[in-house]
Amino acid sequence: MAENSSACIRYQARQLARFYAAHRRSWAEFYPSEHEAFARAAGPDNDLGLVLDAGCGAGGLGLALGERFGLRGYVGVDIHAGAVAAGQAAGGFACPARLIAGDILAVSDLEPASFDTVTSLSCADWNLETTAILAACWRYVRPGGRFILTLRLSPLPTLMDMGTSYQYLSFEDAPPEDCAGLERAPYVVLNTGHALSLLAGLSPAPASIFAYGYWGAPSPTAVLPYDRLAFTALTVTKPEAGTEIAATRAELHLPADAFFAPGEIPGGGGN
């Protein structure tokens, strides 16, 4: 079972190491929403600079980004020591790389405000300390840098506790009734407005927020009261040093009904 010896849940399932040692290790294995967010962050120079990956698993993102973008270096942090060990053994990075077994909320040997790009893919929304993880990742972004994250959004109320929304750690797409006895993880779903307010409320306030998402069904191994979610990747840009932000710019490529519950869309009906 999961051990909560630090702020983040310390997962024990060996399946995590096996899965991430073999999957999500090439650019083609990442989602269209993630492609859009990274392309926005890389800009016309197609460069992501020095990258910090919170919840790196076996470091597959570092390999995938090296196929597509310029990288000055890659640092991955993951609380699952087995996944980190698998990534360290595999190697193959196109830039200087380091993988750290530890909690992103407690790691002590990383310099704040020193990374061009910080990522949290299926990390902040797979733990009970979602808001703390967002704030921790933001602290590591340099002025003018980017924070790229993925979230599950809904126009319905936020689900942020294990009593209402969780996922069994099975990678076989089995139904929940076949997963009894397996370790569980929180399956955090954020109300769309709540998610944007969390990001806009980061300190310092972001210069801009870019979001790209689309409707999809929850994982077959998840238990929650919602039957569809807006799976979304976001790029949040930190202002340059000395810049005061009067208002955060937002560019949101999301379904219109991701903002309003059925029947609540102004001037129209719901599905």
Side-chain angles (χ1 to χ4, degrees):
M1 299 298 291
E3 173 193 339
N4 198 5
S5 59
S6 62
C8 288
I9 294 175
R10 191 173 298 275
Y11 295 108
Q12 305 296 319
R14 294 181 180 177
Q15 297 97 315
L16 285 170
R18 290 198 295 267
F19 181 84
Y20 287 112
H23 296 86
R24 282 176 66 86
R25 300 181 68 77
S26 69
W27 185 240
E29 291 182 276
F30 285 76
Y31 298 115
S33 56
E34 295 166 326
H35 289 183
E36 293 285 342
F38 279 105
R40 177 58 61 102
D45 294 335
N46 202 44
D47 193 276
L48 295 172
L50 180 60
V51 175
L52 172 63
D53 182 8
C56 68
L61 178 63
L63 299 175
L65 294 180
E67 297 176 12
R68 180 68 178 76
F69 303 102
L71 300 178
R72 182 160 56 89
Y74 171 81
V75 178
V77 178
D78 199 280
I79 205 163
H80 195 288
V84 169
Q88 291 170 333
F93 297 98
C95 64
R98 179 163 67 113
L99 301 183
I100 302 170
D103 185 342
I104 191 61
L105 300 183
V107 66
S108 60
D109 62 343
L110 298 177
E111 186 69 27
S114 62
F115 290 87
D116 302 294
T117 306
V118 177
T119 74
S120 168
L121 307 185
S122 299
C123 176
D125 59 355
W126 222 38
N127 217 290
L128 294 172
E129 298 293 337
T130 300
T131 55
I133 292 171
L134 297 180
C137 289
W138 190 240
R139 283 196 296 272
Y140 287 113
V141 180
R142 67 157 177 81
R146 294 84 44 168
F147 175 29
I148 300 174
L149 67 154
T150 56
L151 296 172
R152 309 178 192 99
L153 304 181
S154 171
L156 301 172
T158 287
L159 304 176
M160 201 183 284
D161 68 84
M162 292 281 282
T164 57
S165 187
Y166 59 88
Q167 180 179 13
Y168 288 101
L169 297 188
S170 169
F171 295 95
E172 303 300 328
D173 286 343
E177 55 266 27
D178 292 344
C179 298
L182 294 179
E183 189 174 10
R184 296 187 303 164
Y187 195 75
V188 172
V189 178
L190 295 178
N191 170 271
T192 305
H194 182 197
L196 293 174
S197 69
L198 289 176
L199 296 175
L202 292 169
S203 182
S208 65
I209 299 173
F210 168 84
Y212 186 96
Y214 36 76
W215 288 117
S219 167
T221 63
V223 177
L224 70 161
Y226 302 159
D227 60 5
R228 67 173 188 165
L229 306 171
F231 292 94
T232 304
L234 305 99
T235 299
V236 186
T237 304
K238 185 173 277 191
E240 297 286 354
T243 302
E244 292 189 12
I245 300 301
T248 298
R249 301 189 312 276
E251 182 181 337
L252 308 177
H253 298 256
L254 296 170
D257 53 353
F259 294 88
F260 301 98
E264 293 182 351
I265 298 179
N271 293 335

